[in-house]
Amino acid sequence: MKILVVEDEEKLANIIKRGLTEEGYCIDVVYDGEEAENYAKYSSYDLIILDIMLPKKDGITVCQNLRKENINTPILMLTAKDSVGDRVKGLDSGADDYLIKPFDFDELFARVRSLLRRESFTRNPILKVGDLTLNTLTREVWMGEKKLKLTPKEYNILEYFMRNPKIVVTRTILEEKMWDIDFEGNSNVIDVYIRRLRKKIGDKEGKILETVRGAGYRLTVS
């Protein structure tokens, strides 16, 4: 899952990025409203965490402009403005949720998970493809009766494939969805993660997570 964090306080932005990265999310950070609009318009994000008081363009305006552009990415507003009127204004601008600073990180993570679940392709938290089962609430994965130990990045990659079974997922899509904007696309990191996933799900011959030559990878359904 890829998240855009829009926060002009660099120290706080870095803390949020570190915390969400440790949870397995891919994070881009920008520090003003104009950058936020550009990133949201030209990159694909699963969630935007948006401060209201920003340089160049405030968060309310950014949110309104994105909705006018039919960009429906879930938006969590994160701000020190705590009056009922402020919260109503933020939600009426098109935001999906509102969290007041200072906040507890456990609550931030819970709200992020909630918004991402809301936007899931299916409301069923259990994904099942062949013998693979993935619980999006507990982030647990089984291959048949065997529980798998995956790193956060491995989990996110596998979840994406399980939400898109039988569909060819290109390297470009994986780069955009799983890594931040500084990712060097010519590295072999994606191949390494695919090999690790195949090993952990017992797919020695690449028949479950198969390579589609010249295109990408596909999770097959038996």
Side-chain angles (χ1 to χ4, degrees):
M1 294 287 185
K2 192 168 185 177
I3 298 174
L4 176 64
V5 174
V6 188
E7 170 58 62
D8 64 327
E9 296 179 41
E10 187 171 347
K11 184 177 179 181
L12 177 58
N14 289 336
I15 292 172
I16 294 172
K17 178 177 181 177
R18 186 169 63 246
L20 290 172
T21 300
E22 288 172 356
E23 291 290 306
Y25 301 109
C26 176
I27 308 298
D28 284 335
V29 176
V30 295
Y31 304 99
D32 66 64
E34 287 185 358
E35 268 194 316
E37 273 195 29
N38 289 331
Y39 271 62
K41 287 178 181 176
Y42 300 113
S43 295
S44 175
Y45 292 99
D46 298 294
L47 176 68
I48 299 171
I49 297 175
L50 179 64
D51 191 15
I52 287 182
M53 292 181 286
L54 293 167
K56 298 184 181 179
K57 193 176 290 186
D58 66 81
I60 296 290
T61 303
V62 171
C63 187
Q64 290 171 334
N65 289 346
L66 293 179
R67 296 313 189 218
K68 287 177 185 174
E69 296 279 343
N70 292 319
I71 295 173
N72 296 313
T73 307
I75 293 176
L76 169 59
M77 281 197 166
L78 197 63
T79 179
K81 288 178 171 286
D82 61 355
S83 72
V84 172
D86 289 327
R87 294 198 294 273
V88 170
K89 188 176 181 181
L91 294 169
D92 281 348
S93 71
D96 300 89
D97 200 358
Y98 197 102
L99 185 59
I100 296 169
K101 301 176 185 175
F103 56 85
D104 186 284
F105 269 85
D106 286 338
E107 183 178 4
L108 172 65
F109 297 154
R111 288 176 185 258
V112 166
R113 290 193 296 270
S114 174
L115 287 170
L116 292 174
R117 280 199 304 273
R118 196 183 302 174
E119 285 302 303
S120 293
F121 307 148
T122 173
R123 295 294 184 265
N124 187 345
I126 307 297
L127 304 179
K128 189 165 178 59
V129 178
D131 292 330
L132 278 168
T133 304
L134 183 148
N135 186 324
T136 60
L137 296 178
T138 63
R139 296 176 70 86
E140 294 174 321
V141 182
W142 290 267
M143 183 64 177
E145 299 296 322
K146 181 183 178 184
K147 185 176 180 180
L148 306 181
K149 290 184 179 180
L150 303 182
T151 66
K153 183 71 76 180
E154 291 166 351
Y155 171 92
N156 288 339
I157 293 173
L158 184 61
E159 179 184 354
Y160 190 83
F161 276 107
M162 293 183 70
R163 292 191 182 281
N164 298 277
K166 298 191 287 186
I167 295 175
V168 175
V169 178
T170 66
R171 294 175 63 89
T172 301
I173 290 175
L174 285 175
E175 290 170 10
E176 289 180 353
K177 290 289 185 182
M178 302 297 156
W179 279 270
D180 64 28
I181 202 162
D182 296 322
F183 179 72
E184 295 183 9
N186 58 353
S187 73
N188 68 341
V189 171
I190 291 176
D191 303 309
V192 170
Y193 274 100
I194 294 294
R195 283 200 297 272
R196 288 179 182 173
L197 275 174
R198 283 174 174 157
K199 184 177 181 180
K200 291 188 177 183
I201 66 177
D203 182 25
K204 294 180 180 178
E205 298 178 357
K207 292 184 176 179
I208 300 173
L209 194 52
E210 66 175 349
T211 300
V212 181
R213 192 174 298 277
Y217 302 95
R218 176 170 52 205
L219 183 63
T220 60
V221 181
S222 58

